[in-house]
Amino acid sequence: MRTPTVESPALSGRLGRQVFLKLENLQRGGTFKRRGVAARFALLSVGERARGVLAVSGGNFGRAVADLAGETGVAATIVLPASAPAASVGYIRSAGARTEVTDTVEQAFKRADELAVSTGAVLLDDVSDLTIATGYGTLAPEIVEDVPSVTDLVVSVGGGALLAGVCRAVDLRVWAAEPDGADCLSAALAAGRPTPVPVTTRISTLGVPEVSPLILEQVVGRLAGVVTVSDEDSFAATRWLIEEARVWAEPAAGCAVAAAEVIAATLPTDAVVCVIVCGGNATLADAASMGR
């Protein structure tokens, strides 16, 4: 499950700071999600495994749950919003999981709650589970081991579990990048409590309407800052990663790169930045259409 951390001469030149990329796009399933799901599956009792598992996903969490469920013989149902990539829905089904698709992400969360009650399946929720968040955070010590001089980490935010895991794992400057069409972390930090926001972003894997109290508690006082990014800038940064940095990435990773451009200008010239390439689940058609 360990992935490489590589220097990016192209991004270093663009940002004017030494920049590394943590390539979680090379993880099985295409994202960091497997780390946390594996940690959570390890804690399932025999009875819970028999009841099966249930999850809400914009695509990537569902991929990881479906993979682990298939490998361990556990029945799984994944509820996805209609905005979830068709490739992810197909991947989840091919891994053996059952899927349900709702019109919106808010409806997906509601439907999952209903299924948990009616079926008794164990609801895996990566926006409010510390075991999962801690599992995600295992990528951060790997970065420090690979690049001892690193000073700053840039992390994309959907529900914030990866961010929470990273904040718990290392004592560095940690920056959050979130789409301005799902800025639930910014809203929560401003209000001092979880605050629902409308989800208008086209980046389905970052489209979470509300950060949980548990995740908010883990990041308050531990962040260097939060940068909100437009979908257009995320798409442009993703295309740049693919075309210029030669790294296949999805728009959630592009969000972190776009934020890093803003962040780098505020950092000392000797700062060493690592951008987490959180996933690579984009098709050729996706890449061709990003922001166009």
Side-chain angles (χ1 to χ4, degrees), residues 65-91:
V65 172
D67 274 340
L68 267 297
E71 292 168 19
T72 57
V74 175
T77 299
I78 312 299
V79 186
L80 307 103
S83 59
S88 290
V89 178
Y91 182 101

Side-chain angles (χ1 to χ4, degrees), residues 177-196:
E178 66 177 349
D180 59 11
D183 56 346
C184 61
L185 177 61
S186 294
L189 291 171
R193 63 184 185 280
T195 303

Side-chain angles (χ1 to χ4, degrees), residues 55-59 79-84 101-113 127 158-159 181-182 197-201 203-210:
V56 176
S57 174
V79 186
L80 307 103
S83 59
V101 178
T102 63
D103 289 338
T104 68
V105 66
E106 292 85 358
Q107 290 173 355
F109 280 105
K110 181 180 179 182
R111 178 57 179 157
D113 288 337
V127 300
V197 299
V199 175
T200 60
T201 180
I203 306 173
S204 66
T205 54
L206 299 183
V208 177
E210 186 174 4

Side-chain angles (χ1 to χ4, degrees), residues 40 44-55 74-77 98 111-124:
R40 185 65 182 84
L44 290 175
S45 68
V46 173
E48 288 173 328
R49 290 173 184 269
R51 287 156 49 196
V53 297
L54 175 67
V74 175
T77 299
R98 175 177 171 271
R111 178 57 179 157
D113 288 337
E114 293 170 351
L115 288 171
V117 173
S118 64
T119 68
V122 178
L123 180 59
L124 306 181

